[in-house]
Amino acid sequence: MYVKHERPGPVEYAELRRLAGLAPLEEAAAAAGLNGSIFTVVVRDEKSRLMGMGRIVGDGACYFQVVDVLVHPSCRDQGTGTEDTLMKEIVHYLEENTSEGAQVIVISDTPGIRLYQSFGFKLMYPDYYGMSRNSRLPV
């Protein structure tokens, strides 16, 4: 496995999202999302196949969000440490490239909470409440 600081192609990114159980993306949306990344890290196998990735998005100064920490199903629970490798790279970038006081957030499913907590993230409740909204709510 090889760690690289590069953006994956939009097709392979959309496919990894699909394999991870996330909503499908059209190629144009995948490309636009990737282009909006502040930092991207990937893990590739010996044949250069995308096996994992993670990104940081935000305004580049005050607010940063860790997104798309995704691992190919064949690497999950295999002792490869792919999730930890991705998060180490992401946290290193944040420690080297953010100002004191910058806010870093992550939204996680329940199984991912432990991973993020191991890298210093804390549940916000009861001090703060997070909310989300589907961009296309029916009217």
Side-chain angles (χ1 to χ4, degrees):
M1 299 284 194
Y2 302 97
V3 176
K4 297 181 177 188
H5 297 173
E6 66 181 23
R7 291 182 189 150
V11 172
E12 63 182 345
Y13 164 56
E15 177 63 7
L16 185 60
R17 281 180 51 94
R18 185 188 69 76
L19 290 170
L22 297 180
L25 281 181
E26 294 179 11
E27 186 175 344
L34 290 168
N35 287 336
S37 303
I38 294 170
F39 174 77
T40 307
V41 59
V42 300
V43 172
R44 294 189 179 279
D45 69 6
E46 301 75 29
K47 295 181 180 178
S48 291
R49 291 179 295 208
L50 183 64
M51 303 309 287
M53 67 170 288
R55 306 189 296 135
I56 300 170
V57 298
D59 65 13
C62 301
Y63 297 98
F64 299 82
Q65 184 175 1
V66 176
V67 298
D68 288 333
V69 178
L70 308 170
V71 175
H72 193 281
S74 68
C75 292
R76 285 190 210 128
D77 304 321
Q78 301 299 313
T80 59
T82 305
E83 295 97 340
D84 283 345
T85 299
L86 293 166
M87 283 304 299
K88 284 177 187 173
E89 295 293 320
I90 288 169
V91 168
H92 179 75
Y93 176 88
L94 291 166
E95 289 173 346
E96 296 293 318
N97 296 282
T98 59
S99 310
E100 188 172 332
Q103 186 174 26
V104 180
I105 61 171
V106 65
I107 297 173
S108 178
D109 58 7
T110 304
I113 291 172
R114 193 173 251 151
L115 170 69
Y116 298 115
Q117 285 178 325
S118 73
F119 285 93
F121 287 86
K122 297 177 183 171
L123 294 173
M124 295 168 43
Y125 176 83
D127 297 322
Y128 301 98
Y129 293 87
M131 295 183 216
S132 72
R133 177 186 186 280
N134 185 311
S135 64
R136 295 186 180 186
L137 287 176
V139 249

